[in-house]
Amino acid sequence: MNSASDDVSLDESAAVTAAPAAEEAPAAPEREVLGWLEFGDASRSLARDIVESGFEPDFVIAIARGGLIPGGALAYALGVKSCGSLNVEFYSDVEETLPEPIILPPLLDNEPLIGKNVLLVDDVADSGRTLALVVELLEKVDITVKSATLYIKPRSVIAPDFHWKTTDRWIVFPWSAHPPVGDERSLEA
């Protein structure tokens, strides 16, 4: 008994394999896609790890923009009401960075944080340079800092104190999976 695929003659299958290969575009980087539901599970898992470690943050500071949503989720999960953010720019596009991370205004007011426990949150420790910069700045002014990220990449120059998952792929987060709304209109035209 032959299946439909067995009915292909030798000549037909040879023609398929002998067809000239189309010029291949460079492969897009492998992607790790995080959905909203999985993000919720990841945030709760990170919060449990932080609680189990015994660290009790007085403040949650998010590295904007990527750390804003994870920072808010962790603040809620840990019952921390004092939150802030620090704006740092490093990535300019998919796998494209500035030469060094730069801190953008408005600057964080360090004075209320001195002598306190701060949980510093970002979405990913990719190169780790942004996280290392901010940890160093906060520790210089006598702030106890523990860091948390959803992801860490093996090449990171700093290991966050808490992370949910390790990957070497480009990560698509649910809050940045789509272009800005204004850019969508230009794509539709």
Side-chain angles (χ1 to χ4, degrees), residues 163-174:
H163 72 279
W164 175 65
K165 193 172 183 183
T166 302
T167 187
D168 60 354
R169 297 176 175 168
W170 180 260
I171 306 156
V172 179
F173 292 101

Side-chain angles (χ1 to χ4, degrees), residues 4-59:
S5 63
D6 291 339
D7 292 336
V8 175
S9 74
L10 184 56
D11 292 335
E12 289 172 316
S13 63
V16 169
T17 57
E23 209 172 298
E24 292 183 29
E30 277 194 64
R31 298 184 187 268
E32 171 99 17
V33 179
L34 180 67
W36 283 112
L37 293 176
E38 192 176 25
F39 165 68
D41 293 340
S43 300
R44 298 297 291 185
S45 177
L46 264 177
R48 281 187 204 95
D49 291 347
I50 294 164
V51 167
E52 289 171 6
S53 78
F55 182 68
E56 296 180 18
D58 300 302
F59 295 90

Side-chain angles (χ1 to χ4, degrees), residues 131-168:
L131 195 61
L133 170 71
V134 178
V135 166
E136 181 183 340
L137 288 173
L138 294 175
E139 286 179 340
K140 277 184 182 177
V141 292
D142 194 29
I143 297 168
T144 302
V145 181
K146 296 282 184 184
S147 57
T149 61
L150 293 170
Y151 290 92
I152 182 174
K153 294 197 179 178
R155 66 179 174 248
S156 180
V157 298
I158 185 174
D161 298 288
F162 308 99
H163 72 279
W164 175 65
K165 193 172 183 183
T166 302
T167 187
D168 60 354

Side-chain angles (χ1 to χ4, degrees), residues 70-87:
L74 285 173
Y76 271 103
L78 296 169
V80 177
K81 293 186 178 188
S82 296
C83 303
S85 66
L86 183 62
N87 296 296

Side-chain angles (χ1 to χ4, degrees), residues 105-124:
L107 300 179
L108 187 64
D109 182 8
N110 291 337
E111 194 165 321
L113 306 176
I114 295 173
K116 302 292 184 181
N117 292 335
V118 169
L119 180 65
L120 180 65
V121 182
D122 205 355
D123 52 359
V124 59

